[in-house]
Amino acid sequence: MNDIWNPWHGCKKYSEGCENCYMYFLDSQRDKDGSKIYKVKTNFNLPLKKSRNGEYKIPSGATIRVCMTSDFFLEEADEWRKEVWEMIRTRKIRYESFFS
């Protein structure tokens, strides 16, 4: 496991399993509202980022955790998901969802 990639942040509480969500807890500690869903600014394209020597920061074939602070299939993320799938295909990375 190399990295965590959160292309968007925030989630909706859908069931009793969401009652003790760590993302909501951490957001509340920072005076943030975990129900606000937004595309992240700095690391949305993390799989495409390269180091100073020109190598990808996340190696091809690496497995990364995706959406640890959200749900990959939220309706609010529909407009961003296609771009994320394209980055995954382009880089041939394996993703592991929190819900896998």
Side-chain angles (χ1 to χ4, degrees), residues 5-7 39-46 49:
W5 176 31
N6 294 306
K39 179 179 174 180
V40 300
K41 293 179 183 176
T42 56
N43 278 330
F44 179 78
N45 64 340
L46 179 62
K49 290 188 175 187

Side-chain angles (χ1 to χ4, degrees), residues 58-75:
I58 299 174
S60 290
T63 300
I64 61 174
R65 293 182 183 162
V66 178
C67 285
M68 297 299 290
T69 62
S70 189
D71 180 343
F72 189 78
F73 296 106
L74 284 172
E75 185 177 327

Side-chain angles (χ1 to χ4, degrees), residues 42-43 45-51 55-58 91:
T42 56
N43 278 330
N45 64 340
L46 179 62
L48 302 179
K49 290 188 175 187
K50 294 184 177 183
S51 64
E55 294 179 13
Y56 285 111
K57 290 185 175 186
I58 299 174
R91 290 299 323 288

Side-chain angles (χ1 to χ4, degrees), residues 3 9 19 22-23 31 35 38 42 48 56 60-61 70 73 76-77 79 86 91:
D3 221 324
H9 181 89
E19 186 176 327
Y22 76 96
M23 185 275 301
D31 288 327
S35 68
Y38 58 91
T42 56
L48 302 179
Y56 285 111
S60 290
S70 189
F73 296 106
E76 292 84 351
E79 62 183 290
E86 188 56 36
R91 290 299 323 288

Side-chain angles (χ1 to χ4, degrees), residues 6 8-14 17-38 40 67-71 74 98-99:
N6 294 306
W8 45 87
H9 181 89
C11 202
K12 303 286 184 194
K13 290 188 177 189
Y14 288 105
C18 301
E19 186 176 327
N20 296 309
C21 174
Y22 76 96
M23 185 275 301
Y24 270 86
F25 172 77
L26 293 175
D27 276 7
S28 71
Q29 297 294 305
R30 299 179 187 112
D31 288 327
K32 298 205 177 213
D33 181 357
S35 68
K36 300 236 190 265
I37 299 163
Y38 58 91
V40 300
C67 285
M68 297 299 290
T69 62
S70 189
D71 180 343
L74 284 172
F98 180 74
F99 299 102

